[in-house]
Amino acid sequence: MASIEAFEDHCWKDVMSADDIKLYSPYARETFVGPDVAFLAIDLYNKAYQGGPGRPVDLDPQYPNSCGMFAHRAIEPTKKLFAAVRRAGIPVFYCTQDSRPQNRPKGAVSTRRYEKSANPTDHGIYHEFTPEPTDVIIYKQRASIFQGTPFLSHLNLLGIRSLIVCGESTSGCVRASTVDAYSNGFHVSIVEECTFDRSEHIHKVNLFDLHHKYVDVMHVEEVVAHLDGLAAKRPALQAAE
Amino acid sequence: MASIEAFEDHCWKDVMSADDIKLYSPYARETFVGPDVAFLAIDLYNKAYQGGPGRPVDLDPQYPNSCGMFAHRAIEPTKKLFAAVRRAGIPVFYCTQDSRPQNRPKGAVSTRRYEKSANPTDHGIYHEFTPEPTDVIIYKQRASIFQGTPFLSHLNLLGIRSLIVCGESTSGCVRASTVDAYSNGFHVSIVEECTFDRSEHIHKVNLFDLHHKYVDVMHVEEVVAHLDGLAAKRPALQAAE
Amino acid sequence: MASIEAFEDHCWKDVMSADDIKLYSPYARETFVGPDVAFLAIDLYNKAYQGGPGRPVDLDPQYPNSCGMFAHRAIEPTKKLFAAVRRAGIPVFYCTQDSRPQNRPKGAVSTRRYEKSANPTDHGIYHEFTPEPTDVIIYKQRASIFQGTPFLSHLNLLGIRSLIVCGESTSGCVRASTVDAYSNGFHVSIVEECTFDRSEHIHKVNLFDLHHKYVDVMHVEEVVAHLDGLAAKRPALQAAE
Amino acid sequence: MASIEAFEDHCWKDVMSADDIKLYSPYARETFVGPDVAFLAIDLYNKAYQGGPGRPVDLDPQYPNSCGMFAHRAIEPTKKLFAAVRRAGIPVFYCTQDSRPQNRPKGAVSTRRYEKSANPTDHGIYHEFTPEPTDVIIYKQRASIFQGTPFLSHLNLLGIRSLIVCGESTSGCVRASTVDAYSNGFHVSIVEECTFDRSEHIHKVNLFDLHHKYVDVMHVEEVVAHLDGLAAKRPALQAAE
């Protein structure tokens, strides 16, 4: 939870002009994690980390779509976030690309980038964030996790009303998924330090857009604190069951 | 194509009363296969054929959800239909149950029937109707092929405006899928002899409902004749490409 | 709530064969109203009641789509149901046809029946069930209330997980809407005495299908009793707010 | 139509770094208007033009969400675009906010901005772009025209496969709508000079994102030339009907 005064205390400060900040001031509000929350890890697949923590512009010829240094910078905070999610025991969803044979006609792809066919391991989940057996993995063909998948019906079935979101890319799958989540009636918290893109400028402008219009961009320590509050209530809940 | 006079020349004649037929007479119209058509084979998986051509009520204890005699009765006409579809070269979609690990939370299922966990081969496509490499297979969790799948975006991408549909069950996945298709703006032709259920009475009343409200129920020879018309135009089309 | 033994104690007894009842016995279960429930009244518009309580087959030439005697038979139980809904204070949704100018291209209609253009009052809500100012009215173009409307996002926003449903027609908008509700992850209770169609046979077979596959068909007194239980807890809840 | 060499000849040149342009070079391709195209004018309502052609940051206190100078700069090119659309005779869709009474629960809104209740004329279409009687107007509650509306079923019904899009705001309703269009299988052309936002920086970065990942951002003269090509074929088409 962050106060209305802290609404602009985020990474976009150095790329947004004073006029733009002023123009968007009517969006300022307290931010928080919503009720009945689930955790969503977007596209934490191997491809995003390939080539190590270099600059994406240097890595791209050999490792297309690698987020390089931005992916690797997010590993430690994302591990902390996952640990808190596990302590809190909330439902966990992952998504990644659908790579099953015969799953689509030619052209049904996430973006219009020309891509060679993927290596089978490209879209496996990165080893630091291996799913647990009770987690659900959504396989998607488009940018948004809601597009052409059963994710929305799963959220309804579980009574989920809010999401904590991390992953990549901010301007692609994270943006498309979180706009859909908001427009479908969910409260969304994006964890800033655990979200990344291939371009820092594009990352920041997209987080700015999302924060003002649709979601609460929050810092990892705020979200971890909230999750630890949920974890503290678990024994009582479980005893009551 | 069938004339308006032939609108009620279908299998439901012996279960619908004269008053009901009269009540539904304002729905009478010519039936046809629509433009820009694709073929959809719904749930032609092994489970529907298990136990052979017996009565479903007898088979059910050992082979839950087998359509028995009704599934086997449809094999020959469905083979004819597939052959005509292949000659015409139209896009082909199959659907079946999603059985990938960790694909859903508990309770996200097609119907409220209590079911034991499926055998791995249960939801493979029946050997008489093996998909070809260019066909698309949609894996679904609910009754309708549109629910929680990328099928609709595939149809849009390919410019499909109409569907020819066969498979099972009439009152379950066929009904849910074809109502969704109609409501999403597509023209739908269900092939009567290639569509089946576990109960003949329920099959007939559902076909009656669908035919009047949403789709054109057509006979297999009508649809095959239409497809052969498309096939006859193929060499010209291919030469023009 | 009804016990598993009472699972077949419904109106379809005289139209379903013993074999069909046996075939569907694996669907038997306790029925109930689910948690976090809202009320949905489907298509209780003037057109359904026009011409009074006659036989639909006699009324249809002058009053197309009137449900006649079946609509009028449901008025008293539906008034009781509405009264209980209001006492319980749960969210209330209505739906009806969208009749705003320029709202659709030609052909985007609920069913394939040929229809003359509607009278402006045809799709107003019947005077016995006038909406209250805090109710939400969903205007739809197709059979299902979920198709092309914001209803699903409203349910998510309010944290609704279950629906109590009444209205018409059983084989049309009620069936399409409740299958969609189930497939989207909601628990659905259809109130038998407050649901109707133009044909009693079709009404009964559709309720049978829905009850076994997707929803809990319940008697009005069971649902009223449940709502009165919710009403009894209201003062405590409101005091706690 | 624009060649692959002209892929970056757009308004974002002065805000995107050379590294970012290089990073996104694998997205470069020819741009074009797709087949079976319809025209979509997003949120050309009075509110966007209020207060005249001033700076939005100055207008906002009195005219919230006015796009001021950016809205007024787009009027002339948008009039040219509309004229070409009318000459070509392609289907035309508008969208605007749904302001019918009792249409939603509290909180089902496009963005999280705090807003006073709208003036009844705020969401009427601006007088320069008055709809014609055969146009379709989609009333939406969220950012995307696809979210909670019948738009997708209308496109399918009409056999539309591509969209030409103009309107506002680039970072809000235009972005959400065009990402949804692409992900639903449509080809999208956004007309640069006829699209606007309240912040020029945000406008440019969003057009950059959209152009590379999902749509073809095109210049108004390119799109007008394409439409005039369609218009030239009309008499032949109409004679052939």
Side-chain angles (χ1 to χ4, degrees):
Chain A
M1 191 158 189
S3 70
I4 191 168
E5 289 75 26
F7 193 69
E8 300 292 345
D9 287 349
H10 290 283
C11 62
W12 50 75
K13 279 182 164 178
D14 61 339
V15 302
M16 302 306 301
S17 69
D19 272 354
D20 281 343
I21 296 287
K22 186 178 166 200
L23 185 64
Y24 277 75
S25 58
Y27 289 91
R29 59 189 187 276
E30 282 192 346
T31 57
F32 57 94
V33 176
D36 301 324
V37 71
F39 178 62
L40 169 60
I42 296 180
D43 292 2
L44 295 183
Y45 45 58
N46 293 316
K47 209 173 178 181
Y49 300 87
Q50 283 170 356
R55 296 197 317 151
V57 69
D58 301 328
L59 296 169
D60 199 72
Q62 193 174 353
Y63 302 105
N65 285 325
S66 174
C67 296
M69 58 192 288
F70 305 118
H72 286 266
R73 181 179 72 187
I75 290 175
E76 282 311 309
T78 305
K79 286 169 73 172
K80 276 184 204 151
L81 180 61
F82 262 92
V85 162
R86 299 302 185 188
R87 288 194 297 274
I90 64 174
V92 174
F93 290 86
Y94 289 76
C95 63
T96 186
Q97 264 294 319
D98 192 358
S99 54
R100 192 151 42 178
Q102 296 185 245
N103 68 52
R104 70 184 92 182
K106 189 160 171 275
V109 290
S110 295
T111 76
R112 299 188 61 182
R113 177 169 180 158
Y114 171 76
E115 303 219 43
K116 282 169 289 190
S117 45
N119 183 308
T121 60
D122 280 357
H123 295 116
I125 302 299
Y126 190 62
H127 66 91
E128 295 276 17
F129 311 114
T130 304
E132 298 194 350
T134 57
D135 300 340
V136 173
I137 305 169
I138 302 290
Y139 296 87
K140 65 189 175 70
Q141 302 185 352
R142 302 298 194 157
S144 168
I145 189 178
F146 289 89
Q147 177 65 40
T149 81
F151 183 54
L152 181 52
S153 70
H154 295 171
L155 297 181
N156 293 335
L157 187 72
L158 298 175
I160 299 303
R161 301 183 66 184
S162 308
L163 294 172
I164 295 168
V165 177
C166 74
E168 60 89 22
S169 72
T170 316
S171 66
C173 298
V174 171
R175 178 159 183 159
S177 298
T178 57
V179 172
D180 274 1
Y182 172 72
S183 295
N184 276 297
F186 298 91
H187 183 276
V188 181
S189 302
I190 290 179
V191 188
E192 180 174 322
E193 293 80 4
C194 307
T195 303
F196 50 101
D197 205 315
R198 300 190 304 140
S199 154
E200 195 72 341
H201 180 215
I202 290 169
H203 168 70
K204 289 176 176 178
V205 177
N206 274 279
L207 275 191
F208 177 88
D209 281 358
L210 288 169
H211 183 63
H212 289 79
K213 290 180 191 281
Y214 310 114
V215 314
D216 288 358
V217 174
M218 298 180 70
H219 294 291
V220 63
E221 62 267 29
E222 294 170 328
V223 176
V224 166
H226 179 86
L227 288 166
D228 283 342
L230 296 182
K233 292 177 198 155
R234 279 185 86 190
L237 275 176
Q238 290 175 326
E241 274 168 14
Chain B
M1 191 155 188
S3 69
I4 191 168
E5 288 75 26
F7 193 68
E8 299 292 344
D9 287 348
H10 290 284
C11 62
W12 51 74
K13 280 183 165 177
D14 62 338
V15 302
M16 302 307 300
S17 70
D19 272 355
D20 281 346
I21 296 289
K22 186 178 166 199
L23 185 63
Y24 277 75
S25 58
Y27 289 92
R29 60 191 187 274
E30 283 191 348
T31 56
F32 58 94
V33 176
D36 300 324
V37 71
F39 178 61
L40 169 59
I42 297 180
D43 292 4
L44 296 183
Y45 44 59
N46 294 316
K47 210 173 178 182
Y49 300 88
Q50 282 170 356
R55 296 198 316 152
V57 68
D58 300 328
L59 296 169
D60 199 71
Q62 194 175 351
Y63 302 105
N65 284 325
S66 174
C67 296
M69 58 192 289
F70 304 118
H72 286 266
R73 182 179 70 187
I75 290 176
E76 283 311 309
T78 305
K79 286 169 72 173
K80 275 183 206 153
L81 180 62
F82 262 93
V85 161
R86 298 302 183 188
R87 287 194 298 274
I90 63 175
V92 174
F93 290 86
Y94 289 76
C95 63
T96 186
Q97 265 294 318
D98 192 359
S99 54
R100 193 151 42 181
Q102 296 186 246
N103 68 52
R104 70 185 91 182
K106 191 162 169 275
V109 288
S110 294
T111 75
R112 301 188 60 182
R113 177 169 180 158
Y114 172 75
E115 305 217 44
K116 282 170 289 192
S117 46
N119 183 307
T121 61
D122 280 357
H123 295 115
I125 303 299
Y126 189 61
H127 65 90
E128 295 275 18
F129 311 114
T130 305
E132 297 193 351
T134 57
D135 300 339
V136 173
I137 305 169
I138 302 290
Y139 296 86
K140 64 190 176 70
Q141 302 186 351
R142 302 298 194 156
S144 168
I145 188 177
F146 289 89
Q147 176 64 42
T149 81
F151 183 55
L152 182 52
S153 72
H154 295 172
L155 296 182
N156 294 334
L157 188 72
L158 299 174
I160 300 301
R161 301 182 66 183
S162 308
L163 294 172
I164 295 168
V165 176
C166 74
E168 59 92 21
S169 71
T170 316
S171 66
C173 299
V174 171
R175 179 160 183 158
S177 297
T178 56
V179 172
D180 274 2
Y182 172 73
S183 295
N184 275 297
F186 298 92
H187 182 277
V188 182
S189 301
I190 292 181
V191 189
E192 180 175 321
E193 293 80 3
C194 307
T195 304
F196 49 102
D197 204 315
R198 300 190 304 139
S199 154
E200 195 73 340
H201 179 213
I202 290 170
H203 169 69
K204 290 176 176 178
V205 176
N206 273 280
L207 275 192
F208 176 89
D209 280 359
L210 289 168
H211 183 63
H212 289 79
K213 288 179 193 283
Y214 309 115
V215 314
D216 289 356
V217 174
M218 297 179 71
H219 294 291
V220 63
E221 63 265 31
E222 295 170 327
V223 176
V224 166
H226 179 86
L227 289 165
D228 283 342
L230 296 181
K233 293 178 198 154
R234 280 184 84 191
L237 275 176
Q238 290 175 326
E241 271 167 14
Chain C
M1 191 155 190
S3 70
I4 191 168
E5 288 76 24
F7 193 68
E8 300 292 345
D9 287 347
H10 290 285
C11 62
W12 51 74
K13 280 182 166 180
D14 61 340
V15 301
M16 302 306 300
S17 70
D19 272 355
D20 281 345
I21 295 289
K22 186 177 167 201
L23 186 63
Y24 276 77
S25 57
Y27 289 92
R29 58 190 189 275
E30 282 192 346
T31 58
F32 58 94
V33 175
D36 300 324
V37 71
F39 178 62
L40 169 59
I42 296 179
D43 292 3
L44 295 183
Y45 44 58
N46 294 316
K47 210 174 178 181
Y49 300 87
Q50 283 169 356
R55 296 197 317 151
V57 68
D58 301 328
L59 295 169
D60 199 71
Q62 194 174 352
Y63 302 105
N65 284 326
S66 174
C67 296
M69 58 193 289
F70 305 117
H72 285 267
R73 183 179 70 187
I75 290 175
E76 282 312 309
T78 306
K79 286 169 72 173
K80 275 184 204 153
L81 179 62
F82 262 93
V85 162
R86 299 302 183 189
R87 286 194 299 274
I90 63 175
V92 173
F93 290 86
Y94 289 76
C95 64
T96 186
Q97 264 295 319
D98 192 358
S99 54
R100 192 151 42 179
Q102 297 184 246
N103 69 52
R104 71 184 90 182
K106 190 161 171 275
V109 288
S110 295
T111 76
R112 299 188 61 182
R113 177 170 180 157
Y114 172 76
E115 304 217 44
K116 281 170 288 191
S117 46
N119 183 308
T121 60
D122 280 357
H123 295 115
I125 302 299
Y126 190 61
H127 66 90
E128 295 276 16
F129 310 114
T130 304
E132 296 194 352
T134 56
D135 300 340
V136 173
I137 305 170
I138 302 291
Y139 296 86
K140 65 189 175 69
Q141 303 185 352
R142 302 297 194 157
S144 168
I145 189 177
F146 289 89
Q147 176 65 41
T149 81
F151 184 55
L152 181 52
S153 72
H154 296 172
L155 297 182
N156 293 336
L157 188 71
L158 298 175
I160 300 301
R161 301 183 66 184
S162 308
L163 294 172
I164 295 168
V165 177
C166 74
E168 59 89 23
S169 70
T170 316
S171 66
C173 299
V174 171
R175 179 159 182 158
S177 298
T178 56
V179 172
D180 274 1
Y182 172 72
S183 295
N184 275 296
F186 297 92
H187 182 276
V188 182
S189 302
I190 291 180
V191 188
E192 180 175 321
E193 293 80 3
C194 307
T195 304
F196 49 101
D197 205 315
R198 299 190 305 139
S199 153
E200 195 73 340
H201 181 212
I202 289 169
H203 168 70
K204 289 176 177 180
V205 176
N206 274 280
L207 275 192
F208 176 88
D209 280 359
L210 289 168
H211 184 62
H212 288 79
K213 288 179 191 283
Y214 309 114
V215 314
D216 289 357
V217 174
M218 298 180 71
H219 293 291
V220 63
E221 62 266 32
E222 294 170 328
V223 176
V224 166
H226 179 86
L227 289 165
D228 283 343
L230 296 181
K233 292 177 198 156
R234 278 185 86 190
L237 275 176
Q238 290 175 328
E241 274 166 14
Chain D
M1 193 156 188
S3 69
I4 191 168
E5 289 74 27
F7 193 69
E8 299 293 345
D9 286 348
H10 290 283
C11 63
W12 50 75
K13 280 183 163 177
D14 62 338
V15 301
M16 302 306 300
S17 69
D19 272 356
D20 281 344
I21 296 288
K22 187 178 166 199
L23 185 63
Y24 277 75
S25 58
Y27 289 92
R29 59 189 187 276
E30 282 193 346
T31 57
F32 58 93
V33 176
D36 300 323
V37 71
F39 178 62
L40 169 59
I42 297 180
D43 292 3
L44 296 183
Y45 45 58
N46 294 316
K47 209 173 178 181
Y49 300 87
Q50 282 170 357
R55 296 198 317 151
V57 69
D58 301 328
L59 295 170
D60 199 71
Q62 195 175 350
Y63 303 104
N65 284 326
S66 174
C67 296
M69 58 192 289
F70 305 117
H72 286 265
R73 182 179 71 186
I75 290 175
E76 283 311 310
T78 306
K79 286 169 72 173
K80 275 182 205 154
L81 179 62
F82 262 94
V85 162
R86 298 303 184 188
R87 286 195 298 273
I90 64 174
V92 173
F93 289 86
Y94 289 76
C95 63
T96 186
Q97 264 294 319
D98 192 0
S99 55
R100 193 151 42 179
Q102 296 186 245
N103 68 52
R104 71 184 91 183
K106 190 160 171 274
V109 288
S110 294
T111 75
R112 299 188 61 182
R113 177 169 181 158
Y114 171 76
E115 303 218 45
K116 281 170 290 190
S117 45
N119 183 308
T121 61
D122 280 357
H123 294 114
I125 302 299
Y126 190 60
H127 66 89
E128 296 276 18
F129 311 114
T130 305
E132 297 193 353
T134 56
D135 300 340
V136 173
I137 305 169
I138 301 291
Y139 297 86
K140 66 190 177 66
Q141 302 185 353
R142 302 298 194 155
S144 168
I145 188 178
F146 289 89
Q147 177 65 42
T149 81
F151 184 55
L152 181 52
S153 71
H154 295 171
L155 297 182
N156 293 335
L157 188 71
L158 299 174
I160 300 302
R161 302 183 66 185
S162 308
L163 293 171
I164 294 168
V165 176
C166 74
E168 60 90 22
S169 71
T170 317
S171 66
C173 299
V174 171
R175 179 160 182 157
S177 298
T178 56
V179 173
D180 274 1
Y182 172 72
S183 295
N184 276 296
F186 298 91
H187 182 277
V188 182
S189 301
I190 291 180
V191 188
E192 179 174 323
E193 293 80 2
C194 307
T195 304
F196 49 101
D197 204 316
R198 299 190 306 140
S199 153
E200 196 72 341
H201 180 213
I202 289 170
H203 168 71
K204 290 176 176 179
V205 177
N206 274 280
L207 275 192
F208 176 88
D209 280 359
L210 289 168
H211 183 63
H212 289 78
K213 290 179 191 281
Y214 310 114
V215 315
D216 288 357
V217 174
M218 297 179 72
H219 294 292
V220 64
E221 61 267 29
E222 294 170 327
V223 176
V224 166
H226 179 86
L227 288 166
D228 283 342
L230 296 182
K233 292 178 199 155
R234 279 185 85 192
L237 275 177
Q238 290 173 328
E241 272 168 14

